C-alpha cells in the first residue's frame, strides 16, 4: 500500500515538472512586446476597391486591442482568438460569398490573428476584403 502511494507521488511530481517545462517553452516562444509610444498605420481595402488609411499613436502592445479600442475592427471570439468580421464598418459573410478579412503586417501576410500581432513603432498593417 505504501509502495503504491509512493509511486503516485512520484508520478504527480514528474507530471508537474513536465507541465512546468512545457509552460516555460510556450512562454519563451511568445513574441517580445514593445513598450512605450509607437505610431502605426493601418490601410483598409474595401470590397469595392476603395481605400482608407488610419494612423494611430499608442502605448498599447497588440494590434487587435488597439483597433478594437479605436472602433476600427470587431468580431467574435473563436478557438484561435478574435475572428475579425467587421473592418471600418464593412462586414464579411463567409457563409454567403466566402468573404473574409486578410491581414498583412509590413506587406507580408500575418502569421497570427490581430489580437496576437505585436505593435512596433513604424509598422504598417493592411486589411483586405477577400473572397474565396
Amino acid at each position: 500500500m505504501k509502495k503504491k502511494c509512493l509511486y503516485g507521488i512520484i508520478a504527480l511530481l514528474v507530471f508537474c515538472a513536465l507541465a512546468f517545462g512545457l509552460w516555460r517553452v510556450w512562454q519563451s516562444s511568445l513574441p517580445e512586446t514593445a513598450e512605450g509610444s509607437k505610431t502605426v498605420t493601418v490601410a483598409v481595402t474595401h470590397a469595392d476597391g476603395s481605400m482608407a488609411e488610419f494612423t494611430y499613436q499608442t502605448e498599447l502592445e497588440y494590434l487587435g486591442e488597439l483597433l478594437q479600442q479605436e472602433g476600427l475592427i470587431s468580431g467574435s471570439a473563436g478557438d484561435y482568438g478574435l475572428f475579425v468580421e467587421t473592418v471600418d464598418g464593412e462586414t464579411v459573410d463567409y457563409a454567403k460569398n466566402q468573404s473574409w478579412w486578410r491581414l498583412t503586417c509590413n506587406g507580408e501576410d500575418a502569421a497570427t490573428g490581430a489580437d496576437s500581432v505585436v505593435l512596433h513603432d513604424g509598422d504598417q498593417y493592411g486589411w483586405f476584403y477577400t473572397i474565396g
Side-chain angles (χ1 to χ4, degrees):
M1 187 66 160
K2 288 183 180 182
K3 204 173 193 181
K4 280 186 177 181
C5 186
L6 181 61
Y7 286 143
I9 291 172
I10 291 172
L12 180 62
L13 290 174
V14 168
F15 175 78
C16 289
L18 285 172
F20 180 75
L22 289 173
W23 179 78
R24 292 289 295 155
V25 168
W26 174 74
Q27 284 289 84
S28 68
S29 70
L30 295 176
E32 293 278 330
T33 58
E35 293 182 12
S37 182
K38 33 199 139 347
T39 302
V40 298
T41 304
V42 179
V44 179
T45 303
H46 291 276
D48 64 4
S50 64
M51 296 181 67
E53 188 170 289
F54 305 87
T55 301
Y56 300 106
Q57 185 164 3
T58 185
E59 294 205 10
L60 296 174
E61 296 178 340
Y62 294 97
L63 180 64
E65 181 182 15
L66 169 65
L67 298 184
Q68 284 180 308
Q69 179 179 300
E70 293 293 330
L72 188 65
I73 67 170
S74 64
S76 56
D79 292 341
Y80 303 103
L82 177 69
F83 178 74
V84 176
E85 297 163 332
T86 303
V87 176
D88 193 26
E90 184 166 12
T91 301
V92 294
D93 186 350
Y94 190 82
K96 179 181 176 185
N97 63 356
Q98 295 185 337
S99 58
W100 55 286
W101 286 106
R102 181 171 61 98
L103 172 61
T104 62
C105 302
N106 297 317
E108 301 288 328
D109 284 336
T112 65
D115 50 353
S116 297
V117 173
V118 176
L119 295 171
H120 298 282
D121 189 44
D123 280 352
Q124 297 181 348
Y125 303 99
W127 286 101
F128 297 87
Y129 185 97
T130 305
I131 296 178

